[in-house]
Amino acid sequence: MNSQKPLTIKELPEQDRPRERLLKHGAQTLSTADLVAILLRVGSREESAVRLAEHLLFDHQGLAGLGRITPREMVKLKGIGLVKAVTIAAALELGKRLRDQKSEERPVIRNSQDVRDHMMPLLRYEQREKFYLLPLSTKNHVLDEREISIGSLNASIVHPRELFREALNYAAASVILVHNHPSGDPAPSREDIEVTRRLMEAGKLLEIPVLDHVIIGDGKYVSMKDKGII
């Protein structure tokens, strides 16, 4: 039986300490577990703060799941006391409020024309085919424009697991798919339709509906929803 005491964050090599790496390289370079470990400050007798953060995230299916539980539920994990749980809950609430504040400043998608107006300047003159995800809030505000892939649209490039992981990270209520055709002709290909239907099925299982798939051409666009394709 290994009775060696786990290293605290202070005892870790400097290059492995989340706080030091945040200061040196920025918060965006840290993993979600590293950021939660900073909030925890210390681990338990058995685990470092980073390992404890990893277990907390795993037990609650990631950051989105963690944001849906109360501090009283967090403390059920050994090593998470009420102070740690309250600190995490406060940080998550601040994140939600910042996201909500930003979303109110973001455009609202009411129809395919709104998608066209929002994405045409970005994709109209692209020489390569790019696939974007627009995660939407409950009020249909665009939370971000996430580039998912570059290259011809097919099953190996756009995978439901990767796409909906992004949607879950934003706690999206729904999503819109957008990609461009460098040829300038936005008519959907057979592959476009097949991938869209596959992503729609995945969205149904996760209760994150795919509202539309808009293809951008040179000054023209096609909405699969408007065309009755999906």
Side-chain angles (χ1 to χ4, degrees):
M1 180 176 179
N2 185 3
S3 60
Q4 185 178 0
K5 182 181 177 182
L7 295 176
T8 65
I9 286 181
K10 288 184 178 179
E11 292 170 331
L12 290 171
E14 186 172 341
Q15 68 272 16
D16 294 333
R17 299 176 196 167
R19 294 187 192 92
E20 282 73 6
R21 286 192 286 119
L22 186 151
L23 289 170
K24 188 174 183 179
H25 302 293
Q28 70 277 7
T29 65
L30 272 64
S31 69
T32 302
D34 287 335
L35 293 170
V36 174
I38 290 174
L39 296 174
L40 294 175
R41 298 184 63 230
V42 296
S44 65
R45 290 184 178 181
E46 292 80 18
E47 296 183 307
S48 69
V50 174
R51 289 293 294 163
L52 193 57
E54 290 172 349
H55 283 155
L56 187 62
L57 290 164
F58 179 81
D59 285 355
H60 298 289
Q61 291 77 52
L63 197 58
L66 195 58
R68 290 192 288 267
I69 66 171
T70 67
R72 298 286 182 188
E73 292 173 296
M74 282 187 220
V75 300
K76 293 177 182 178
L77 179 65
K78 186 177 180 181
I80 302 294
L82 198 55
V83 172
K84 290 178 180 177
V86 167
T87 300
I88 293 171
L92 289 170
E93 180 59 27
L94 284 172
K96 288 178 185 177
R97 294 184 187 188
L98 177 61
R99 182 197 65 199
D100 291 343
Q101 180 178 325
K102 285 184 175 180
S103 75
E104 292 300 323
E105 301 166 359
R106 302 285 290 177
V108 178
I109 300 298
R110 293 173 293 266
N111 49 48
S112 62
Q113 288 88 350
D114 289 336
V115 180
R116 174 203 62 192
D117 294 344
H118 188 61
M119 297 299 289
M120 183 72 74
L122 179 66
L123 291 173
R124 180 175 184 176
Y125 299 113
E126 276 290 341
Q127 297 302 304
R128 293 181 295 175
E129 193 164 307
K130 293 188 175 182
F131 187 95
Y132 275 81
L133 172 73
L134 300 184
L136 304 181
S137 71
T138 54
K139 296 181 180 179
N140 279 12
H141 288 95
V142 178
L143 301 175
D144 204 349
E145 304 85 21
R146 298 296 298 171
E147 183 181 293
I148 301 299
S149 69
I150 300 176
S152 297
L153 194 58
N154 59 54
S156 63
I157 290 181
V158 181
H159 196 284
R161 180 177 59 248
E162 306 303 325
L163 185 140
F164 284 101
R165 179 183 295 147
E166 292 285 352
L168 288 167
N169 284 340
Y170 284 92
S174 58
V175 297
I176 289 177
L177 314 176
V178 186
H179 83 281
N180 66 305
H181 282 177
S183 66
D185 180 4
S189 67
R190 178 176 57 83
E191 289 80 9
D192 293 341
I193 296 170
E194 288 178 355
V195 170
T196 303
R197 287 174 175 164
R198 191 163 58 93
L199 293 172
M200 290 182 69
E201 288 301 315
K204 289 178 183 177
L205 292 174
L206 293 169
E207 297 183 347
I208 304 176
V210 175
L211 301 183
D212 200 354
H213 186 169
V214 175
I215 304 173
I216 302 294
D218 186 4
K220 299 176 289 184
Y221 79 101
V222 167
S223 158
M224 289 196 191
K225 179 181 178 182
D226 292 352
K227 292 289 184 181
I229 299 172
I230 59 173

